[in-house]
Amino acid sequence: MTDIRLLAPAELPLCRRLESDREWSTDEAKWRLMFEVGEVYAIDAADGDGLAGCVVVTRHGDALADVGMMLVAARYGRQGLGMRLMEHALEVAGDRVVELTATRFGRPVYERLGFRPTGSLTITMGPMEGASSSGVRVATPEDHAALLALDAEVTGADRSKALTALLATAERTVVTDGGFAVAWNAGPHRVIGPVVSPSEEAARELILAAAHGSDRDVRIDLLDAYPGLRPWLTELGPTEGPAALPTMVHGARRHPGDRGRYVAPILISMG
């Protein structure tokens, strides 16, 4: 098997083919964002047909790294490629705390590498009628510095590179006192995330304001900050995925920052 190499953005279609092999379907806009702010590593297939596997590492300053999209082609399963890719991802991350969201297939690999379960993430998607709120307003470029500072406080890391890229193309960004939500175009969905909020009530207002005017289904990946958001959201229309996914961390006992206010991530770091 060939060495692990860094993919160029022009090789994005190879990742989509690998996804199709594993019956995954990630919006192309999300892949483009990962190539822009992260590093996509891969192993070429020995038979010359595309990729044998890939993984994405997104480094946020010196404190935190996200790892996701760990995929191995079905014909190369159970050959240790997943472990090899994850070991490489941890080398790239260096001394940073590493976090991810695990599938049931990936979790055993992560646990063997020392990842700890820390909570859960619930995928919700579907039609949703948003609304404006008197306590929430549309963000302006003058709000961006405060928004980046608030995100760093809540996540414990400087994620300005990823957030700045997202804000530049966001469909709608809304803010309130101590909170914000970003809504962006991911093809068939309007993805709402990240969401930071000082309370459950404010989170509801931010989500409704971020969904306002959407002409497509809405997707929100809810973390554990305010459990009451899950039943509230499904009452509005979106439905939950089949099961909550475990969030995991490596290099620390818990995620850095004040995650009690972290409602939804930028994008799912699933593998």
Side-chain angles (χ1 to χ4, degrees), residues 131 133-136 174 176 200-210 232:
S133 170
S134 59
V136 177
V174 294
T176 190
E200 182 174 320
E201 181 180 359
R204 294 184 184 192
E205 293 181 349
L206 285 163
I207 290 169
L208 287 172
W232 168 79

Side-chain angles (χ1 to χ4, degrees), residues 200-248:
E200 182 174 320
E201 181 180 359
R204 294 184 184 192
E205 293 181 349
L206 285 163
I207 290 169
L208 287 172
H212 182 63
S214 178
D215 59 354
R216 304 178 309 287
D217 283 356
V218 171
R219 173 170 173 167
I220 309 173
D221 297 343
L222 289 174
L223 297 166
D224 295 327
Y226 305 112
L229 290 175
R230 290 169 180 163
W232 168 79
L233 196 57
T234 55
E235 287 176 4
L236 294 179
T239 57
E240 292 186 6
L245 300 168
T247 55
M248 306 186 79

Side-chain angles (χ1 to χ4, degrees), residues 85-239:
L85 285 163
M86 284 303 301
E87 287 175 339
H88 183 77
L90 290 174
E91 288 178 8
V92 171
D95 294 332
R96 296 169 180 84
V97 174
V98 179
E99 56 186 22
L100 55 76
T101 302
T103 63
R104 63 186 180 91
F105 301 107
R107 181 170 179 169
V109 172
Y110 308 143
E111 288 180 336
R112 287 198 293 274
L113 287 169
F115 279 86
R116 300 169 177 268
T118 55
S120 65
L121 179 145
T122 303
I123 299 172
T124 65
M125 65 176 73
M128 179 178 172
E129 186 174 339
S132 58
S133 170
S134 59
V136 177
R137 62 177 175 82
V138 175
T140 68
E142 288 70 31
D143 293 308
H144 288 182
L147 187 154
L148 295 176
L150 178 59
D151 182 82
E153 180 182 323
V154 168
T155 64
D158 177 7
R159 303 197 306 172
S160 56
K161 180 181 178 182
L163 270 177
T164 299
L166 194 61
L167 290 169
T169 58
E171 286 189 306
R172 188 171 174 83
T173 302
V174 294
V175 295
T176 190
D177 186 18
F180 69 88
V182 182
W184 51 287
N185 184 350
H189 300 105
R190 174 181 284 191
V191 172
I192 298 178
V195 180
V196 169
S197 178
S199 68
E200 182 174 320
E201 181 180 359
R204 294 184 184 192
E205 293 181 349
L206 285 163
I207 290 169
L208 287 172
H212 182 63
S214 178
D215 59 354
R216 304 178 309 287
D217 283 356
V218 171
R219 173 170 173 167
I220 309 173
D221 297 343
L222 289 174
L223 297 166
D224 295 327
Y226 305 112
L229 290 175
R230 290 169 180 163
W232 168 79
L233 196 57
T234 55
E235 287 176 4
L236 294 179
T239 57

